[in-house]
Amino acid sequence: MLEASDLRALGGGLLIGLSATLLLLFNGQIAGISGIVNGVMRFRTAELWRWLFLLGMLGGGLLYEYGLAVESTPLPDAPPWVMLLGGGLVGVGTRMGNGCTSGHGVCGLGRLSIRSLVAVLTFMATAIATVFITRHLLNG
Amino acid sequence: MKQKIMKQNLIALLSGLLFGLGLSLSQMIDRQRILGFLDIAGNWDRSLLFVLGGAVTVTVISFRFVLNRSKPLLVERFRLPTKQDIDAPLVLGSALFGIGWGISGYCPGPAITALVLGHSNPVLFLIGLLIGSIAYGVSQKASTSSSLKVE
């Protein structure tokens, strides 16, 4: 049976797909967040659009969280070192692999890119393995 | 020319808004939910499947039309990745990204959007991300410059 959370998830996915479509159609850019973040770090005026995209993301989050949502999103609760380590690995990995779930997943698969398919299968596999190890083998 | 740049900037803002809205509506900014998806041996949360499924269904269809055009609407050419081959950095990088994702429950997009929750977790994640990305960039520059010297 489809539940409310499934429909919200699907709705969110459609919005993300629409977002990527607009950015590509109008600006010719791939909506890959790791690429956008790496781009803003170059601090060039030509990259202003990236800052605006990120600003828009915050706006969208604020709109949902404080405007549209019936109940608040649960707050995270991980120890700081988990966040720093996880972030560090994501920072290295997404730069090395040239993409993340939006770049390779949403856009790369949309382009039918074999490179992105390999990337997606790889990061899904290691992410699932990591959670399996931390939650079920190492007592979580 | 200025008009076109302003339009591009507006599109970027709107696109980002839709993206952030999509991530929060679908609850992808809830790291426990993401970990629930990745926890296939536990109480599996299928939300991410619907998010990715919905998003990719749209892009597989729309990109076909968009990329059939000779150029985008507001700029002269598409800025697409040029790499075609499956190389070690792609696989290793993706593997590392997956580990980091599995540890933190965050990837770049949701972490940025999750900043609106006002908690320190996404902040720390993004600090780690910036450090990792910069460190990798520096190490790449160092290795290319040293290989140039050898020649």
Side-chain angles (χ1 to χ4, degrees), chain B residues 51-126:
Chain B
V51 182
L52 211 50
V56 174
T57 300
V58 170
T59 57
V60 160
I61 296 169
S62 69
F63 279 22
R64 200 174 182 83
F65 289 102
V66 172
L67 293 176
N68 243 359
R69 297 175 48 87
S70 56
K71 63 182 271 303
L73 287 174
L74 298 176
V75 295
E76 286 317 303
R77 60 184 184 87
F78 290 104
R79 294 282 203 266
L80 301 175
T82 46
K83 282 190 174 189
Q84 301 268 5
D85 52 323
I86 291 147
D87 53 17
L90 177 76
V91 178
L92 181 59
S94 299
L96 290 174
F97 163 48
I99 295 171
W101 190 31
I103 287 173
S104 64
Y106 283 128
C107 60
I112 289 166
T113 312
L115 288 171
V116 307
L117 296 176
H119 194 278
S120 58
N121 268 193
V123 178
L124 291 168
F125 174 87
L126 290 168

Side-chain angles (χ1 to χ4, degrees), chain A residues 32-40 42 50 99-100:
Chain A
I33 309 303
S34 66
I36 289 173
V37 169
N38 284 325
V40 302
R42 292 185 220 130
R50 298 177 198 265
C100 57

